[in-house]
């Protein structure tokens, strides 16, 4: 099954600065709400807050707990760069609306 991990990153300091990122991979076990997902790109593990399954396309969309960069004490730009270095990519609002 294709698993699409999604995380929403925002900054209270940088008003109107928010971004959605996604990482996709194949996996036989699907996450469930409450699981803690770990990834080399993460500063910490993140809790799964929502799982949506599309059996027709054999894919699963997994929403992770949103990240407020000030809470993690890491600059938003630095965190995004770290995620991108580990196969995460920015998802546009148009792409989000089509999912």
């Amino acid at each position: 099954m294709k698993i699409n991990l999604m995380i929403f990153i925002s900054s209270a300091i940088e008003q109107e600065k928010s971004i959605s990122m996604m990482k996709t991979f194949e996996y036989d076990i699907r996450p469930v709400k409450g699981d803690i997902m770990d990834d080399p790109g993460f500063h910490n593990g993140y809790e799964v807050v929502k799982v949506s399954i599309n059996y027709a396309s054999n894919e699963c969309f997994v929403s992770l707990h949103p990240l407020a960069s000030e809470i993690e004490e890491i600059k938003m730009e630095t965190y995004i760069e770290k995620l991108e270095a580990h196969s995460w990519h920015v998802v546009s609002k148009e792409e989000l609306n089509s999912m």
Side-chain angles (χ1 to χ4, degrees), residues 10-79:
S10 65
S11 172
I13 293 171
E14 301 175 64
Q15 296 291 327
E16 299 180 23
K17 179 87 177 199
S18 62
I19 194 164
S20 296
M21 297 193 75
M22 182 167 62
K23 181 175 185 176
T24 302
F25 55 94
E26 291 286 330
Y27 201 65
D28 292 332
I29 301 171
R30 75 168 179 86
V32 296
K33 185 176 178 179
D35 282 354
I36 303 297
M37 301 297 288
D38 199 9
D39 184 87
F42 291 165
H43 186 64
N44 293 311
Y46 288 96
E47 182 178 0
V48 172
V49 294
K50 181 180 176 184
V51 178
S52 300
I53 302 168
N54 183 328
Y55 289 107
S57 64
N58 197 33
E59 64 185 327
C60 177
F61 292 90
V62 180
S63 298
L64 302 175
H65 195 277
L67 168 73
S69 60
E70 293 77 22
I71 294 172
E72 296 297 327
E73 298 177 3
I74 186 170
K75 285 186 171 184
M76 189 170 170
E77 306 301 326
T78 304
Y79 201 77

